[in-house]
Amino acid sequence: METEFKYGIDDPSVFDEIVKNAEINKMGLEAVEVIDMHADYFDTADYDFRKKGIAYRIRLEDDRCTATIKWDVNVSEGLHQREEFNLVVNDERFAENPDIGLFISSDAYDVLYEAAGDKKLLKTITMDYQRRQIKVDTGKSISCISIDEGVIQHADGHNIPICELEIEWYYGDEDDFMKLAAYIRDKYDLKAEDRSKLQRAFN
């Protein structure tokens, strides 16, 4: 289960302000990590996955390639909770002609097969963005604060900018995570984003 808050922002410098925040710096902070992301999303010609609220993504994170399935999404006031399954893909060429067979040993396979059977998958959306992130250990919970800046490229040719702050719960006390997220939201007057990047590409 993935649990994270999403906020759409206009000024990416808010991330730098959060990193310098004295209250947050009293907690355990790791160094800021910078990751270049290239993500391709796949669906059938009939958009069977989209109709069922499923995302099939292959993402290159610097030199690491990961295939991800997300489903059973629940969203409220910027809080996104969903089932998620990830697999590291050793061959980047898999993204040129992906299928659902990669996930056959997981629950994700059943979700995909029920939605689309053996239909051919096509690339629908591409995203290129840079992520800056920092992990926070409050002593009760560990989470990650990140900012994504880049562009969403739709198959029909139009582009949508990405400037999004995320606060993701890794593990520990969930209530403690919620308090940290609420503090950051209120301190920096952040506006909830109830749409995922993929949803924004179609809306």
Side-chain angles (χ1 to χ4, degrees):
M1 174 73 75
E2 179 187 52
T3 300
E4 67 182 8
F5 283 93
K6 287 180 176 286
Y7 302 102
I9 59 175
D10 297 320
D11 184 358
S13 67
V14 68
F15 176 80
D16 302 300
E17 294 178 26
I18 293 170
V19 171
K20 296 174 183 176
N21 182 289
E23 289 299 316
I24 295 176
N25 271 272
K26 292 178 183 177
M27 307 170 190
L29 290 184
E30 295 187 5
V32 174
E33 184 179 8
V34 180
I35 307 171
D36 290 321
M37 305 278 200
H38 174 87
D40 292 322
Y41 287 78
F42 296 86
D43 207 332
T44 68
D46 298 317
Y47 289 99
D48 293 293
F49 293 162
R50 185 182 174 211
K51 292 172 184 175
K52 295 288 188 177
I54 301 167
Y56 186 133
R57 181 187 73 200
I58 298 177
R59 187 166 72 185
L60 188 64
E61 305 171 11
D62 287 336
D63 58 355
R64 182 183 182 186
C65 188
T66 304
T68 298
I69 306 300
K70 299 185 181 187
W71 73 99
D72 282 351
V73 179
N74 182 39
V75 181
S76 177
E77 298 181 348
L79 177 61
H80 295 242
Q81 295 179 299
R82 54 209 162 188
E83 295 295 331
E84 181 182 70
F85 188 82
N86 299 289
L87 278 176
V88 174
V89 180
N90 293 322
D91 190 347
E92 295 174 18
R93 292 174 297 178
F94 178 78
E96 298 172 7
N97 188 30
D99 56 40
I100 68 173
L102 180 68
F103 298 93
I104 197 165
S105 62
S106 71
D107 292 341
Y109 178 83
D110 295 332
V111 171
L112 295 169
Y113 191 83
E114 182 179 349
D118 292 322
K119 289 184 181 180
K120 181 176 176 58
L121 302 184
L122 306 171
K123 185 188 301 184
T124 58
I125 303 292
T126 295
M127 302 182 192
D128 286 291
Y129 54 97
Q130 185 180 80
R131 171 169 293 174
R132 290 185 289 150
Q133 66 180 32
I134 189 164
K135 294 175 185 175
V136 182
D137 185 348
T138 69
K140 294 182 178 180
S141 67
I142 295 179
S143 54
C144 182
I145 304 168
S146 63
I147 183 168
D148 294 338
E149 297 177 78
V151 64
I152 301 168
Q153 302 160 8
H154 196 279
D156 68 8
H158 76 275
N159 293 340
I160 302 169
I162 298 171
C163 192
E164 178 179 279
L165 187 86
E166 297 180 354
I167 308 172
E168 182 177 357
W169 179 42
Y170 280 0
Y171 52 87
D173 188 324
E174 185 173 5
D175 288 339
D176 184 69
F177 160 74
M178 293 292 182
K179 290 177 182 177
L180 174 64
Y183 169 76
I184 295 172
R185 178 200 65 208
D186 295 343
K187 174 72 174 178
Y188 299 99
D189 193 27
L190 301 178
K191 307 302 180 186
E193 175 57 81
D194 286 342
R195 298 170 299 168
S196 67
K197 293 181 182 69
L198 183 58
Q199 287 173 319
R200 289 184 60 223
F202 288 100
N203 296 334

